[in-house]
Amino acid sequence: MTFEAMWADLLPVGRSAATGGYHRFAWTAPELECRAWFEAEAAGRGLALEPDANGNLFAWWYPADGRRDGAVLTGSHLDSVPGGGAFDGPLGVVTAFAALDALRERGFAPRRPLVVAAFAEEEGARFGVACLGSRLLTGAITPERARALRDGDGATFADVIAEHGLDPAAIGPDEALLGRLAYGVELHVEQGRALVGPVGVASSIIPHGRWRFGFTGQGDHAGTTALRDRRDPMLPFAAMVLAARQAAERNGTLATVGKVAVDPGGVNAIAASVTAWLDGRGPVDDAVRRTVTEIERAARLAAVGHDVKVDVAEESYTPLLDFPHALRDHLRALLGDVPLLPTGAGHDAGILAARIPTAMLYVRNPTGISHAPSEHADIPDCLAGVTALAQVLEDLLEHP
Ligand SMILES: [Zn+2]
């Protein structure tokens, strides 16, 4: 299976014919199809498929001597945001298989195991917490909290994984598995226009988090309720969206409200409640924290004036992650001084880096657009990514 053939197999899975955007949410039909694809690719290569208890998929290539520890892990995720692009996630998984093939073709015999990974629910599009699979694996989220997470239809994470053969009681950190991993490398499509050459190395992941704002007022008739009698949650919500933009400008951060749920959502009804999700990011933790505090203050102030109740909950927060310098500088030199760049996007590699030396490679994205259908990487750049990843893996697998 060449890179192009694998890519062509995955390309139609979960793609909307109308928009070209992908809808591959954890444990929904298209994502299950992606998982089946992963299992078939692993089987076709004679890799040992060893999924963990958290819904993450791992395919192992063991060395001839049967060594099971000191492994090098590479891969990414197969799920998508709503209406996402083809490359965010799958590029890292397809590239991992292709790089493994390249090593085998040149007769390379690894001293260490190589494990190809597909992490579950990286985007958090279904249960609200990004990198859920890698967080569970590394202990960055408690099993109790994960089990209770709900999707948009009210189904809990525990119920959904149980339906797909996982034991909700068994989820959580896997020290035995972590203890077998020596290095992690995730290849990912660049999500801005910052990368000049085809391939780059990540320096850091900027601090980022998600907050849920709930505004509760009184549902009522749009025609019979005087303005002065209304408790309309839409108004403080609107103030909060505007405040987010202003706070981000003041603090040199990013603040985005990209998801909102209105209940009951009738044209001729004042809403009873509005739930909005704030995505906040910035160069340093302090600035992000300050931004969110200012937005919350503005939301509460606006709510008082409309007799609306506000609840704010932090769904996730990931502080600044600086990838280990020794590894990243080593890989950068190995690849011929390719560009080093930070990213504003969260990744499983950032979660793994808390436990094992981890690095990231990027492949150029000429549109600079991500989480949208026009996200793109040219095939020659993807193939340069395969070559670079193979080179990196060969180097790490050779380490005594
Ligand atoms: Zn991704």
Side-chain angles (χ1 to χ4, degrees), residues 237-330:
F237 158 66
M240 173 257 182
V241 174
L242 298 174
R245 174 66 182 233
Q246 288 159 358
E249 281 172 0
R250 265 196 307 277
N251 291 294
T253 55
L254 298 166
T256 306
V257 181
K259 178 178 174 181
V260 56
V262 179
D263 182 59
V267 176
N268 55 358
I270 298 160
S273 70
V274 175
T275 308
W277 283 265
L278 170 71
D279 178 301
R281 306 174 194 235
V284 290
D285 291 296
D286 273 3
V288 179
R289 291 291 183 192
R290 200 160 52 239
T291 303
V292 176
T293 303
E294 289 175 13
I295 297 167
E296 182 173 345
R297 196 182 300 143
R300 291 192 185 283
L301 196 66
V304 168
H306 296 284
D307 196 13
V308 166
K309 189 170 144 287
V310 184
D311 295 298
V312 182
E314 180 175 297
E315 290 195 331
S316 65
Y317 186 76
T318 309
L320 177 71
L321 185 279
D322 210 15
F323 284 107
H325 289 206
L327 180 59
R328 102 188 172 194
D329 294 345
H330 171 70

Side-chain angles (χ1 to χ4, degrees), residues 69 114 124 179 269 347 377:
D69 64 351
L114 175 62
H347 297 291

Side-chain angles (χ1 to χ4, degrees), residues 48-294:
L49 188 69
E50 299 175 19
D52 73 358
N54 297 309
N56 302 311
L57 297 176
F58 300 109
W60 291 74
W61 176 24
Y62 290 111
D65 67 3
R67 181 176 177 184
R68 293 177 62 82
D69 64 351
V72 178
L73 177 146
T74 188
S76 190
H77 60 97
L78 295 168
D79 66 316
S80 79
V81 297
F87 294 83
D88 180 349
L91 182 62
V93 181
V94 173
T95 306
F97 283 124
L100 183 151
D101 292 345
L103 294 180
R104 283 181 166 178
E105 271 158 31
R106 69 178 83 141
F108 175 74
R111 291 166 176 246
R112 300 162 173 276
L114 175 62
V115 51
V116 178
F119 288 102
E121 178 72 337
E122 193 274 344
E123 300 288 4
R126 181 161 185 190
F127 294 101
V129 175
C131 302
L132 187 55
S134 54
R135 283 183 201 273
L136 277 166
L137 166 65
T138 57
I141 185 171
T142 64
E144 295 73 33
R145 194 179 157 220
R147 278 191 284 267
L149 293 172
R150 285 179 191 275
D151 70 7
D153 297 326
T156 63
F157 181 70
D159 288 344
V160 170
I161 61 170
E163 250 172 65
H164 292 95
L166 291 171
D167 175 6
I171 64 171
D174 190 337
E175 294 301 331
L177 175 57
L178 290 168
R180 293 170 59 200
L181 304 177
Y183 298 105
V185 185
E186 179 174 3
L187 179 145
H188 206 277
V189 67
E190 224 289 84
Q191 293 172 286
R193 248 181 305 252
L195 181 54
V196 185
V199 173
V201 171
S203 56
S204 61
I205 297 179
I206 66 172
H208 57 282
R210 294 177 182 194
W211 292 264
R212 187 179 66 243
F213 283 63
F215 300 87
T216 310
Q218 174 65 56
D220 213 329
H221 196 293
T224 62
T225 317
L227 292 181
R228 66 170 182 280
D229 293 335
R230 296 182 181 204
R231 295 176 54 215
D232 186 350
M234 198 63 89
L235 298 167
F237 158 66
M240 173 257 182
V241 174
L242 298 174
R245 174 66 182 233
Q246 288 159 358
E249 281 172 0
R250 265 196 307 277
N251 291 294
T253 55
L254 298 166
T256 306
V257 181
K259 178 178 174 181
V260 56
V262 179
D263 182 59
V267 176
N268 55 358
I270 298 160
S273 70
V274 175
T275 308
W277 283 265
L278 170 71
D279 178 301
R281 306 174 194 235
V284 290
D285 291 296
D286 273 3
V288 179
R289 291 291 183 192
R290 200 160 52 239
T291 303
V292 176
T293 303
E294 289 175 13

